[in-house]
Amino acid sequence: MAQTLKQKTIGAIIWNLLDRGGQQVLQMAMVIVVANILCPDDYALVAMLAIFTAVGNLVVESGFGAALIQRHDADDRHYSSVFWFNLVMSSALYLLLLGCSPWIAAYFGEPQLVALSAVVFLSLPLNATMLIQTTLLNKQIRFRHLAKVNLAAMLVSSLAAIVMAFCGCGVWTLAWQPVILAGVKSGLLWTTNRWRPQCYFSMAIIRDLFGFASSLLLSGLLNVVFINVYSLVIPRLYPKRELGLFTQGNKICDPIVSLVYGSIQNATYPIFSNIQNQHDRLINAYRKSIRFTSFLTFPLLIGGVMVAPALFRLLFKSEWWDAIPFFQLLCMGGCFTVLTAINNNFIKVSGRSSGILRIEIIKMALTAVSIALLARESVLAMVAGLMAVRGVVHLINIYYTQRYTGYGMWAQLCDTVPYLLLAMVMAAAVWSVGLVVDKPWLLLPLQIVAGAAVYTLLAYATGSKILKDAIRLLLKKETL
């Protein structure tokens, strides 16, 4: 029997959560082990190259994945043209960045970056080889298959990183891990998928797809610069160690953020694209997804702020404890990041990708102002200012969502703010546990249990439909 839209959406979200959650657990375990062997300066070196890798990967993808999913009549001619275009583009970018590595090293004053660049940037052509394979699995809503590939690749790369760290490879551990991840994932996708590119290429198809993808590419580039601006600014204004601490805080926070918005975004985009011409049905489905996003996001990230001291003192050596305030600020900013990303997903489905570009331009202007005003202050003040920018951008994002989709600002606030209030009450309960317990090994699990219990009870007491749906699913009263 054919699945309903609700069943498809719930199933897709669950498989994406399992995929992302499993990857984040493996990555977190790897980060904890490796961080207790390496030092902040090692992380700072690789972080200096992060913005170049991120920009390169985005240019290679160029929004073609989203364009192919959004396009209902895409066939092998489209897939093959994009595949060959991306392969050539990624190889050219690798050589270009490799040639620029001496100037990158000179900018940061770190000669070692020249050698590191040759390894780190290898992920660009490797990622290009799996773009179409991943796009097809997403478009076909085959998230179970994709989850197995992703988890296997993450397991292999994490084990490799741990072995390299114990063998004394130092910063090279961090350089090789993402390359191994991309290589294994690409290999698994090609051996388990039947699709192969044809000996066909059409520049007309590339231009046609780029008409939709160009705004996504430009907005994506601006977003990548915004996210990675720290790696350009911090080492120029502050000691290199500060970038290492910020990077570590981000490595712990980012899995939570990516788990939520990555899972929901990947699951809902192909499904919502299929009903993009049914406006009322689309709005109703989207409101459910934003409520589900808020239900998960606020307790996870606000809870992360509250348990941060116990978390770091339990899992990391004292050299990393100064990363706690960075982690807390990133968790607070992450709430806005998740909701903004989900709204952008909805704007993309509506075909108004140019609106996302406008938002990104405003965001970059606000970022430049924030950095200029706070550059002479402490690094924490600068990061706090950039987190505040995320909050302002989210309000602007809500306005554009209303303008392009008809999902009003008041309706969205009504869908999200109740879960924020529940999370604030939960935070007070988590904080109170720290008043009576001091030992990190006991405090952390008690805070997690107390937070989960209080939030769940509050959601149940206030009649949360999202919680009721989850309970019915667990009790098998709602099937996938």
Side-chain angles (χ1 to χ4, degrees), residues 75-87 128-133 136 189-191 193-201:
D75 55 28
D76 266 351
R77 295 175 303 121
H78 295 81
Y79 298 130
S80 296
S81 296
V82 171
F83 174 81
W84 295 118
F85 180 82
N86 283 353
L87 194 61
T129 62
M130 57 183 167
L131 172 65
I132 298 301
Q133 302 281 12
L136 285 169
L189 285 170
W190 280 90
T191 54
N193 259 10
R194 293 183 177 180
W195 183 85
R196 295 294 183 269
Q198 299 177 351
C199 294
Y200 177 88
F201 177 80

Side-chain angles (χ1 to χ4, degrees), residues 5 17 29-30 64 84 119 139 142 144 156 171 179 188 192 226 240 278 341 366 373 383 401-402 408 412 433 440 444:
L5 176 67
L17 283 171
M30 182 267 293
F64 287 129
W84 295 118
V119 174
K139 189 166 185 174
R142 294 173 60 195
R144 180 176 182 175
V156 172
V171 68
V179 176
L188 289 174
T192 58
F226 172 77
K240 181 172 65 175
Q278 304 172 49
L366 292 174
L373 292 175
V383 173
T401 302
Q402 174 179 331
Q412 185 160 167
V433 175
L444 181 61

Side-chain angles (χ1 to χ4, degrees), residues 31 60-61 135 242 268 311:
V31 167
V60 169
E61 202 275 341
T135 297
E242 298 291 341
T268 57
L311 177 71

Side-chain angles (χ1 to χ4, degrees), residues 272-304:
F272 290 170
S273 293
N274 289 331
I275 59 170
Q276 59 186 289
N277 297 321
Q278 304 172 49
H279 184 263
D280 291 341
R281 191 183 183 196
L282 181 61
I283 290 288
N284 184 54
Y286 183 72
R287 291 192 68 174
K288 289 179 180 179
S289 73
I290 202 72
R291 286 195 291 266
F292 183 72
T293 301
S294 302
F295 178 80
L296 292 177
T297 299
F298 289 125
L300 285 173
L301 290 172
I302 293 176

Side-chain angles (χ1 to χ4, degrees), residues 134-149:
T134 303
T135 297
L136 285 169
L137 289 174
N138 277 305
K139 189 166 185 174
Q140 297 161 4
I141 317 179
R142 294 173 60 195
F143 297 117
R144 180 176 182 175
H145 181 92
L146 193 57
K148 292 178 179 179
V149 170

Side-chain angles (χ1 to χ4, degrees), residues 188-268:
L188 289 174
L189 285 170
W190 280 90
T191 54
T192 58
N193 259 10
R194 293 183 177 180
W195 183 85
R196 295 294 183 269
Q198 299 177 351
C199 294
Y200 177 88
F201 177 80
S202 170
M203 198 64 204
I205 288 177
I206 297 298
R207 284 195 297 267
D208 182 40
L209 290 172
F210 196 69
F212 173 85
S214 57
S215 293
L216 294 181
L217 172 61
L218 291 174
S219 60
L221 285 172
L222 291 174
N223 186 52
V224 162
V225 172
F226 172 77
I227 292 173
N228 293 280
V229 69
Y230 315 96
S231 65
L232 289 177
V233 175
I234 292 176
R236 294 285 291 184
L237 300 176
Y238 309 99
K240 181 172 65 175
R241 179 175 179 273
E242 298 291 341
L243 178 59
L245 294 172
F246 171 84
T247 301
Q248 186 65 353
N250 193 47
K251 281 184 175 292
I252 306 301
C253 175
D254 186 63
I256 305 173
V257 175
S258 298
L259 171 64
V260 179
Y261 90 73
S263 302
I264 296 173
Q265 189 177 46
N266 287 347
T268 57

